[in-house]
Amino acid sequence: MIPETPLLSIPKIGIGTFQLKDEQVVHNVLHSALSIGVRLIDTAQCYRNEDYISRSLAKLLPEFSISRSDVTIVSKLDPKNQGTEKARSSVEKTLDCFGGYVDVMLIHWPGVSKMKSDDPLVRERRKESWRVLEEFKENGKIGLIGVSNYTLYHLQDLMKYCRVKPNVLQNEFHPRYQEKDILSFCQQNNIIFMGYSPFGQSKLLSDKTVVKIADKHKVLPSNVLVQWAVQKGVVCIPRTSKPERVRENLDYSNFTLDNGDMQQMELLNDGHKFCWDPHRVI
């Protein structure tokens, strides 16, 4: 196994772009995010908006006097592009879209599109995809490599065959789905944990415990959920299609959840997932 390289500095809060399929919407959301200091943008090949993000950044970076190196771009390999040739070709397209370099590239899903989740070839295809990411990282075209929607089994299996250890894991993460075993694994192995869907598809914004804590600190429920993730050591990447919500969710006065707040949030952990479940994938 190749020795780990020092991890690049990753912002604690980013903006997700899932389901942002209109170029003007992408531009407006990024404008709002960059204006309040957000410097991490999460996308994926299957979001079909990498080119929109690239063109928007070409306009927005000069407007805010920001250099490309100040922004962390995260993208992910489409499940249909698993396997050596498809992975290499699709990653090259992503790199071309962002000027030849991407800060973070992840395998989006442990499975393969149109292949049964229990097919033995699934593991082989994702192993091939990982080899491709290793090559691009070694060639200096990708800063950090990692995976998304991996279970503890998938992570432990990856550690058996990787030459370069994963730098990043991006999974669903919120008070009702805290993945303590995986979070511990990441901390032990120096893997950055990124959490998506911090609001539980908006369901947690009306949770009584979250609302009570928000009222206590005179902030919004979304602020509490983002701050909770950050205090857990997780990079938080909420998404919205509304620029004004970017400010509401992320541009809040500094506050800290106290031990009592954190303990109350811990009690919400009932293992409920709102997004796709990878446990069936071998």
Side-chain angles (χ1 to χ4, degrees):
M1 187 180 295
I2 296 175
E4 294 178 62
T5 54
L7 295 182
L8 302 178
S9 176
I10 296 289
K12 296 297 183 184
I13 298 174
I15 188 72
T17 62
F18 176 55
Q19 294 182 328
L20 302 190
K21 300 182 183 300
D22 179 86
E23 186 162 2
Q24 189 59 51
V25 171
V26 169
H27 182 90
N28 293 343
V29 166
L30 294 186
H31 184 282
S32 184
L34 293 173
S35 72
I36 61 172
V38 173
R39 295 294 181 265
L40 186 152
I41 300 167
D42 179 74
T43 183
Q45 293 175 352
C46 68
Y47 296 174
R48 307 290 184 263
N49 60 16
E50 290 178 322
D51 54 343
Y52 297 165
I53 292 170
S54 179
R55 287 196 291 268
S56 293
L57 288 177
K59 300 174 184 177
L60 293 172
L61 294 183
E63 179 178 339
F64 291 106
S65 300
I66 301 170
S67 65
R68 168 63 182 85
S69 60
D70 293 326
V71 178
T72 298
I73 294 175
V74 181
S75 192
K76 299 179 280 292
L77 182 75
D78 193 320
K80 73 177 185 180
N81 294 327
Q82 293 270 36
T84 302
E85 297 307 319
K86 289 183 178 180
R88 183 175 290 118
S89 176
S90 68
V91 171
E92 286 175 348
K93 290 180 180 179
T94 292
L95 290 170
D96 288 343
C97 186
F98 291 111
Y101 179 82
V102 173
D103 302 276
V104 183
M105 192 75 196
L106 312 176
I107 294 176
H108 203 158
W109 176 252
V112 183
S113 294
K114 298 183 179 180
M115 188 177 289
K116 292 183 178 181
S117 58
D118 60 352
D119 190 324
L121 285 177
V122 167
R123 180 179 183 272
E124 187 60 30
R125 291 292 176 270
R126 68 171 176 264
K127 182 177 179 181
E128 291 173 5
S129 297
W130 186 255
R131 291 280 184 253
V132 170
L133 294 192
E134 289 178 327
E135 291 172 9
F136 279 108
K137 178 175 171 58
E138 290 162 357
N139 291 332
K141 294 184 177 181
I142 297 175
L144 302 177
I145 58 176
V147 293
S148 181
N149 297 297
Y150 270 40
T151 65
L152 186 58
Y153 159 75
H154 295 133
L155 286 171
Q156 292 171 333
D157 186 49
L158 172 59
M159 299 295 274
K160 294 175 183 176
Y161 59 75
C162 66
R163 290 185 295 110
V164 179
K165 289 177 63 176
N167 306 123
V168 177
L169 170 69
Q170 185 184 117
N171 277 8
E172 178 179 351
F173 187 79
H174 47 72
R176 292 191 63 184
Y177 195 73
Q178 299 184 26
E179 294 214 294
K180 294 183 179 182
D181 55 344
I182 292 183
L183 188 57
S184 177
F185 180 89
C186 288
Q187 293 169 343
Q188 293 169 10
N189 289 277
N190 198 30
I191 298 172
I192 297 169
F193 191 115
M194 290 184 180
Y196 71 80
S197 195
F199 307 147
Q201 296 184 342
S202 297
K203 301 293 192 302
L204 290 171
L205 296 176
S206 58
D207 179 88
K208 292 181 179 179
T209 297
V210 176
V211 171
K212 179 181 178 182
I213 294 173
D215 290 343
K216 169 184 172 182
H217 292 280
K218 295 180 172 57
V219 296
L220 297 174
S222 58
N223 305 151
V224 170
L225 292 164
V226 170
Q227 184 64 22
W228 173 80
V230 170
Q231 287 184 216
K232 296 287 287 185
V234 172
V235 176
C236 188
I237 45 174
R239 63 156 297 278
T240 180
S241 61
K242 300 178 180 179
E244 64 274 16
R245 289 285 175 82
V246 175
R247 289 184 174 277
E248 289 179 0
N249 294 340
L250 303 179
D251 189 21
Y252 55 85
S253 300
N254 290 331
F255 76 99
T256 301
L257 298 174
D258 59 36
N259 289 336
D261 299 330
M262 296 298 284
Q263 289 172 7
Q264 289 183 64
M265 298 286 273
E266 291 288 317
L267 295 176
L268 298 179
N269 187 26
D270 61 1
H272 184 84
K273 272 183 81 45
F274 292 97
C275 308
W276 51 356
D277 191 346
H279 288 87
R280 67 183 186 277
V281 182
I282 65 169

